[in-house]
Amino acid sequence: MSEIKKRLLSIIESPNHHTDTKLLKICQLLDQEIPYFNWTGFYFKNGDKEELILGPYVGAETDHKIIPFGKGICGQVAVSNETFVVPDVHEQENYLSCSIDTKAEIVVPIIKNGENIGQIDIDSHSLNPFTKEDREMLEWLCEEIAHIL
Ligand code: SME
């Protein structure tokens, strides 16, 4: 297991923190360790509503605290249940801009008991920065996080 996965797992399995603290620590670790992760945060399904609500995050404050299902990259992942890698956000029509510096984005759903309950969202200030390994690591992370939600 890679060093970063080990560190992520020790946050997830820590008995000393509440879930939101763990999620924030995960954002902080990813933000520190991966230089092209420039906004890292979680969105969750907002109760019974067809919308996402912003959870713990690290990065610039965003206007998008609530995102209707289907809107933007995040809203599309809420209905597709699949990872969405966007190498260049300017090529996307259905995109919600959070910062003028953002050039790329990756969103990975969190599936628990077959239900799409939320997602991790990462913005980058670099064009086409996300590797196959990043995607694999984030998909692994979302599976691990599902166990504590
Ligand atoms: N860009 C996202 C909105 C969330 S912010 O990036 C934090 C989207 O298109 O859904």
Side-chain angles (χ1 to χ4, degrees), residues 39 43 62 64 67 71-75 95-96 98 105 121 123:
W39 189 97
Y43 282 95
T62 175
H64 303 298
I67 299 179
K71 289 267 157 55
I73 309 303
C74 296
Y95 167 69
L96 300 170
C98 177
E105 178 160 1
D121 175 20
D123 290 354

Side-chain angles (χ1 to χ4, degrees), residues 11-81:
I11 295 171
I12 292 167
E13 291 174 345
S14 158
N16 303 323
H17 301 296
H18 292 296
T19 303
D20 269 4
T21 308
K22 292 182 185 190
L23 296 177
L24 182 61
K25 284 176 172 292
I26 288 168
C27 294
Q28 288 166 339
L29 178 63
L30 292 172
D31 182 74
Q32 274 162 23
E33 292 302 314
I34 306 182
Y36 50 87
F37 283 15
N38 303 119
W39 189 97
T40 300
F42 291 93
Y43 282 95
F44 290 99
K45 186 172 193 296
N46 194 7
D48 288 340
K49 297 183 189 157
E50 299 281 287
E51 65 184 28
L52 296 163
I53 185 165
L54 181 62
Y57 70 95
V58 169
E61 199 182 330
T62 175
D63 287 341
H64 303 298
K65 295 193 171 60
I66 299 278
I67 299 179
F69 279 18
K71 289 267 157 55
I73 309 303
C74 296
Q76 290 178 78
V77 170
V79 291
S80 75
N81 308 328

